Structures are given as structure tokens and as C-alpha cells.
Amino acid sequence: MTGVKAIDTVVNIWTPEALAGRPDRTGFYTEKMKVNAKTFAGTTHKEMLERMDRAGIEKSFLIAAKVGQLGHPACYHVPYKLVAEAVQAHPDRFYGLAGLDPTEGMRGVRELEHAVKEYGFIGAHFYPHWFELAPDHAKWYPFYAKCVELDVPIQLQVGQSMVYDPTYPRRSVGRPISLDAVACDFPELKIVGIHVGIPWTDEMIAMSWKHKNVYIGSDAHSPKYWPQSFVHFIKSFGKTKVIFGTDFPVLDFERTMAEIDALGFSDEVRALFLRDNAIKLYKLDQR
């Protein structure tokens, strides 16, 4: 394992308490995504920290995800307070990200501000496909403006989405090219396109190369299957524009780190990718 203490920027809170209010996704996670059944059943904070330690991961960003509009049985929201309590219990290991729901309008914008100012959350996060609203849709723009005002980055899933619930299939609306308009309209906004952008990875690379404040998150896809163009980007002209993530429990901490070590990154690239880029982007050295 690498000697660099990694920062995992995309992690789902997976305690039994967090899972209690969610719809059953057993088939999706254990069959489609091959998540270990024991892991899927629930992971306490203590267990997660032990797994992080074994993998050489020092810190993780926990997402208070808003998965679709409430009212449909396939949708749920992780309470901000649940993540805030985890961060308060382990302030040297966890940071919080505030999930967004565009249907909440200004109420959601105010909740985001409260999460940052009162809970100490360090950024925002959303899933375009769960609302079938592309990243450049107007309903997202008030949240972008607030992130600029608060000076916090925003993560969003790019690339194809999956059928997470057969009763509620969602369209893949997160084409990376849609970030072009957002970055042009909000040049100060720090945008992280997570999930690599597959199958439009080259499109995501182009957006990150074009725009100073557009970055790529490496989560959700096993490193050994990353497109070669993405690996090259990390190693070369994009070495300061990609941040490490797993989307745990989708990717296992130890397996992911082992696969990264097999990619042959230089010491400089490994440090930037696993740690330093996230510290700079999220200003962790100022917290």
C-alpha cells in the first residue's frame, strides 16, 4: 500500500441507523454492484474507520444524499443531522457534504447554507439523474450561486446512471458537456464531476481541461477498469484536476487502493491524486 494518507472524497454513510429509512436496494447493491452482503447490511462508524485505516485512508467525506424527490417509495433523503453527528463524533476523520434536491427551491438553498455555516459541511453534492434534470437546468442555478457565495465546491454525478430501483428507472441526464454552460455562467464555482464520467470520460476530461474550476472525481468505477485516457490525464496534464473517491460501499477501500497502486503513478502524482488536490480544493488546511 502507498505511504500517502488518502482522502476519500465520496463516501456514503452506511450505519444501520442511516439504512433504516431507505428503500430496499439489496438486489442492486449485492447483485449488480457486487457489494459484499455483510458490508451492505450496515457498517458502523467504528467499523468504517477500521477499514479506512487498513486501506491507508485518513479522512472521508460523508454525503447527506438527497436521492430523488420525497413522496415516491424509491426516493429518500439522508438527514443532514445524521452526517453532522458523525462529523462531530470524529472531527479528525470525517467531513460532511450536503445533498441537494432542486425541487426544494429556496428552502433547499437555505438548508444548504445552514449545513455549511452551522454544521461545518465543506461542500454540496447532487444526483442529476434522480430528478431527471441535467446539470445546466435552471433549477440547479440557485444552488450554484449559493455555493459560490459560501465558497464551497459542489459534486455531481456525471456519466450514465443505473436502474437503482426497477419501479423508478431514471434517464442518464448527466452528460459532462452540460457542465460547460454551468462553468461559463459560474466561472468561480468549483465543480467536481464524480463517477469518472463513463461512458463520456473524454468529454469530462475536456471540461476539466477547459475550465480552471472543473475537476473530476474518480469514484464508483474500479481503477483497473478506468479508461486509458483517464489514467493518462491523472498522470500528466490533469494531475492537479482529479480527486480520489470510492463511493463506498460501491467500491471497497482496500481493493481500490491496491488497484490504484498497480497503475504505476509517480510519487508526485500519487500524492496529488490521493490527498493534495482534495486539500487544496476543499481548503482542508484552513479548517
Side-chain angles (χ1 to χ4, degrees):
M1 290 291 180
T2 176
V4 176
K5 292 296 183 181
I7 297 173
D8 191 336
T9 60
V10 189
V11 173
N12 294 287
I13 186 168
W14 213 254
T15 61
E17 180 184 5
L19 295 177
R22 301 184 190 183
D24 183 13
R25 298 271 202 271
T26 304
F28 172 74
Y29 279 102
T30 63
E31 297 174 16
K32 186 76 169 181
M33 306 309 292
K34 308 301 182 186
V35 173
N36 176 275
K38 184 178 179 181
T39 297
F40 172 76
T43 303
T44 66
H45 296 320
K46 181 177 182 293
E47 291 168 340
M48 179 179 283
L49 290 170
E50 289 172 350
R51 295 177 71 161
M52 288 166 54
D53 287 340
R54 289 197 298 269
I57 297 172
E58 181 183 16
K59 302 175 186 290
S60 287
F61 296 1
L62 300 181
I63 306 164
K66 293 190 175 183
V67 181
Q69 184 176 6
L70 294 179
H72 191 284
C75 303
Y76 65 92
H77 290 181
V78 176
Y80 286 178
K81 188 175 181 181
L82 195 63
V83 168
E85 289 172 350
V87 174
Q88 290 164 4
H90 305 280
D92 57 334
R93 306 301 301 273
F94 293 146
Y95 294 100
L97 297 179
L100 306 179
D101 176 346
T103 69
E104 293 178 339
M106 290 307 298
R107 175 171 61 86
V109 172
R110 287 187 285 271
E111 287 182 359
L112 167 61
E113 182 171 23
H114 183 268
V116 172
K117 291 185 175 181
E118 302 301 323
Y119 289 153
F121 283 19
I122 62 171
H125 169 284
F126 73 90
Y127 297 116
H129 56 276
W130 271 103
F131 306 94
E132 293 192 338
L133 294 175
D136 58 359
H137 193 283
K139 285 185 179 292
W140 296 114
Y141 272 47
F143 295 95
Y144 295 148
K146 180 55 67 174
C147 285
V148 172
E149 181 183 312
L150 295 170
D151 191 24
V152 295
I154 188 166
Q155 295 184 4
L156 63 150
Q157 182 174 335
V158 290
Q160 75 168 62
S161 57
M162 305 297 288
V163 177
Y164 308 92
D165 189 308
T167 70
Y168 200 62
R170 303 282 83 193
R171 295 171 176 83
S172 298
V173 299
R175 285 290 297 262
I177 194 65
S178 64
L179 300 182
D180 196 36
V182 178
C184 286
D185 290 340
F186 296 93
E188 299 173 63
L189 178 65
K190 299 177 181 68
I191 303 168
V192 184
I194 61 174
H195 288 33
V196 184
I198 291 172
W200 304 293
T201 305
D202 287 350
E203 204 170 90
M204 188 63 239
I205 290 170
M207 291 298 93
S208 184
W209 180 68
K210 174 179 178 178
H211 294 288
K212 175 184 176 182
N213 287 321
V214 175
Y215 298 80
I216 308 176
S218 71
D219 59 298
H221 293 275
S222 292
K224 68 178 180 180
Y225 298 124
W226 286 346
Q228 186 55 42
S229 60
F230 184 55
V231 175
H232 176 68
F233 185 68
I234 297 172
K235 288 182 175 181
S236 57
F237 66 107
K239 64 184 179 182
T240 63
K241 300 300 293 290
V242 186
I243 59 177
F244 166 67
T246 61
D247 199 27
F248 178 89
V250 174
L251 298 186
D252 175 74
F253 295 132
E254 287 185 89
R255 174 183 167 180
T256 303
M257 292 294 284
E259 290 182 5
I260 287 170
D261 281 346
L263 293 175
F265 291 163
S266 67
D267 290 345
E268 178 199 18
V269 166
R270 182 177 291 151
L272 288 168
F273 169 63
L274 290 175
R275 183 179 180 86
D276 295 347
N277 291 343
I279 290 175
K280 183 177 180 180
L281 177 59
Y282 284 89
K283 299 183 178 179
L284 301 184
D285 55 348
Q286 300 176 25
R287 299 181 184 278

